[in-house]
Amino acid sequence: MIKAKHKPIESIGEMAAPYRRVLVLGCNTCTAVSLAGGEKEVGLLSSTLRLRNAGKGKNQEFQEFVVKRQCEMEFLEEARELIQETDVVLSLACGVGMNCVADNFPDTPVLPGNDTAFLGLSPELGQFTERCVACGDCLIHLTGGLCPLARCAKRLLNGPCGGSEEGHCEISPDVPCIWHKIYDRMRALGQLDKLSVVVPVREWSMNDAIGPRSFVREDLTVQTGQGE
Amino acid sequence: MAQSQQFKSNSKLEKVLTQGHFAVSGEVGPPKGTGAEGIREKGAMLKEYTDALNVTDNQTAIVRMCSLAGCTVLKQVGADPLMQIVCRDRNRLAIQADVLGAVALGINNFLCLSGDHQKFGNHPNAKGVYDLDSTQLIATLRQMRDEKKFICGEDISGDMPMFIGAAANPYADPFEFRVTRLAKKVNAGADFIQTQAIYDIDKFARYMELVRDMGLDKRTHILAGIIPVRASGMARYMKNFVPGVAVPQSLIDRMKTAEDKGGEDKKQRAEYGREEGISISLELIERVRQIPGVHGIHIMAVNWEEIVPVLVERAGLYPRPQVL
């Protein structure tokens, strides 16, 4: 899932300062699971912002609302009136949701209340870690199901660098060397032969080499001029 | 021993190795600035004692004069430079462009590296490039030389003489995969290998046994890495902070014992440490020479370059073979 976390409260307060009416808009899907965008977090953040203003004679309102998904207009519709009436949206979605609000409400400024961190999971409460870089050209059939693009600090494709030591990465003893894990897993699976093949230069055109990415699935698009 | 052969480049190192001599390469770290004088001095001092001189490429992710410029300065004093290229700082366009420029300037030797992670350097927030990895970089250079084609398949004009090298770290994990990784680099086109610093001879000997089992010593030239240790503090620092360098505690203890002979006198301690460091390096050189499949040594004496002539002479590796 998409993982996100709140920006520091000081920087949120500073961004929101010029606006009188602030709509704190949550998202009940990925960032809610990250504990950074659900009803509880929207309430907590709004209260904190109100408390910061207390006693300073500041006339600022924080309204709270949560939609199921900010990245889909269908759900964003529910907040249409609120968004159109407010001076600014302080979004607790991921970057996708924030963009969706901005794309669809040209007259309303959008502030990021969250930093979108990565596509990952939460192995334990309060811990979040990356698992996928959405490269657009999955290769984990070659690497035992573990992604070196997401999990190797150098995105190496041909095995561990010389800094791999006792199972951890050269950048930190707390970071596992994913290539060590790939090796162990491929050995256990009896597929070590796959790791002896030179993986050629990668075409990044499915990743960040072509600018904003998009794709079309013809089978799902509505064909105009057809019967039924 | 000399014979008429088809060489891949005009590299002295290639000729020395191909003709069966035990090779010696050294290293010059470029300055954090524009002064070329230091490179010239080191080049002039080391050229008679080595067959090639590596110029590091933003070593440990610290910005320095670029390797290409450092190599060019070395050429000016008659040394045969070896250009290191890391994948961390440049994408395929920049790397291929630099290689063309290097060949145009008469640089023959190249070493393909991943590069220490930018986190270790003086710009830890830099974006790491890693468009290619080190194995792909080797394959790229080989394609540029043997097929005269860029990665994209377009033709390269002009000659592309290159002697292509790679690194290997016998002490990194997982140990069993290290030889497979070496094989991949050889298959990708590595003509020679410079290893990470060797201190634990027994482990290196086991590694070389696996190398010979796979016949890799017949397909590439392996130069064992030697980092002369000047003081126990330096050994401790390398053990704790330099990625990929395995320094046994026994070596640190041995240095410390030697330094203690100097008592409280700092100068005396340094002198005893230096002498012990030289002895250790000479022992290592002697022992790696005994290991079948080792075709040379690569001495990395950064900031202690003046020790290289001493080691090469005392190890009986001077004068260097004259090759044409």
Side-chain angles (χ1 to χ4, degrees), chain A residues 46-62:
Chain A
S46 303
S47 304
T48 311
L49 290 166
R50 286 182 202 112
L51 272 175
R52 280 169 53 90
N53 283 347
K56 292 181 186 163
K58 219 173 164 191
N59 182 21
Q60 200 174 22
E61 286 171 22
F62 295 95

Side-chain angles (χ1 to χ4, degrees), chain B residues 69-90:
Chain B
C71 286
T72 306
V73 174
L74 284 181
K75 288 283 290 186
Q76 292 167 355
V77 296
D80 201 2
L82 192 158
M83 180 167 142
Q84 297 195 181
I85 306 174
V86 298
C87 297
R88 179 194 60 228
D89 302 336
R90 288 189 293 282

Side-chain angles (χ1 to χ4, degrees), chain A residues 1-4 27-38 41 67-71 92-94 96 114 116 118-119 128:
Chain A
M1 234 173 192
I2 296 172
K3 295 297 170 194
C27 177
N28 225 348
T29 305
C30 303
T31 59
V33 175
S34 285
L35 305 178
E41 293 81 35
V67 295
K68 187 171 183 188
R69 284 198 277 282
Q70 278 187 39
C71 59
L92 293 188
C94 68
V96 184
N114 280 341
T116 308
F118 43 71
L119 304 184
F128 303 90

Side-chain angles (χ1 to χ4, degrees), chain A residues 154 159-181 184, chain B residues 120 169-175 178 196 203 236-248:
Chain A
K154 300 179 184 175
C161 74
S164 175
E165 194 180 336
E166 293 174 353
H168 63 75
C169 172
E170 73 177 23
I171 65 165
S172 165
D174 300 326
V175 176
C177 170
I178 197 59
W179 273 106
H180 198 128
K181 286 194 171 188
D184 286 345
Chain B
F120 296 104
N169 185 357
Y171 302 108
D173 292 315
F175 179 73
R178 287 294 144 188
Q196 186 51 274
K203 192 165 185 180
R236 243 192 326 270
Y237 179 83
M238 284 200 297
K239 183 183 172 73
N240 295 330
F241 297 111
V242 181
V245 179
V247 181

Side-chain angles (χ1 to χ4, degrees), chain A residues 154 160 166 171 202 204, chain B residues 92 115 119-120 131 173 181:
Chain A
K154 300 179 184 175
E166 293 174 353
I171 65 165
R202 189 164 171 82
W204 297 108
Chain B
R92 64 189 75 177
K119 184 200 145 141
F120 296 104
D131 179 21
D173 292 315
R181 184 156 159 85

Side-chain angles (χ1 to χ4, degrees), chain A residues 149 152-173 177 179-181 183-184 187 192-204 208, chain B residues 92 114-120 127-137 139-140 151 169 171-178 180-181 183-185 187-188 196 239 242-245:
Chain A
L149 294 179
C152 166
K154 300 179 184 175
R155 303 197 303 191
L156 303 181
L157 294 173
N158 280 292
C161 74
S164 175
E165 194 180 336
E166 293 174 353
H168 63 75
C169 172
E170 73 177 23
I171 65 165
S172 165
C177 170
W179 273 106
H180 198 128
K181 286 194 171 188
Y183 173 79
D184 286 345
R187 189 175 56 178
L192 276 181
D193 53 315
K194 280 193 184 177
L195 293 187
S196 60
V197 180
V198 175
V199 176
V201 171
R202 189 164 171 82
E203 306 304 329
W204 297 108
D208 54 5
Chain B
R92 64 189 75 177
S114 305
D116 296 321
H117 196 270
Q118 60 272 17
K119 184 200 145 141
F120 296 104
K127 183 170 171 27
V129 178
Y130 300 111
D131 179 21
L132 310 176
D133 70 20
S134 53
T135 308
Q136 293 163 348
L137 178 56
T140 296
I151 291 174
N169 185 357
Y171 302 108
D173 292 315
F175 179 73
E176 310 78 43
F177 188 66
R178 287 294 144 188
T180 307
R181 184 156 159 85
K184 288 177 81 163
K185 290 186 174 185
N187 289 339
Q196 186 51 274
K239 183 183 172 73
V242 181
V245 179

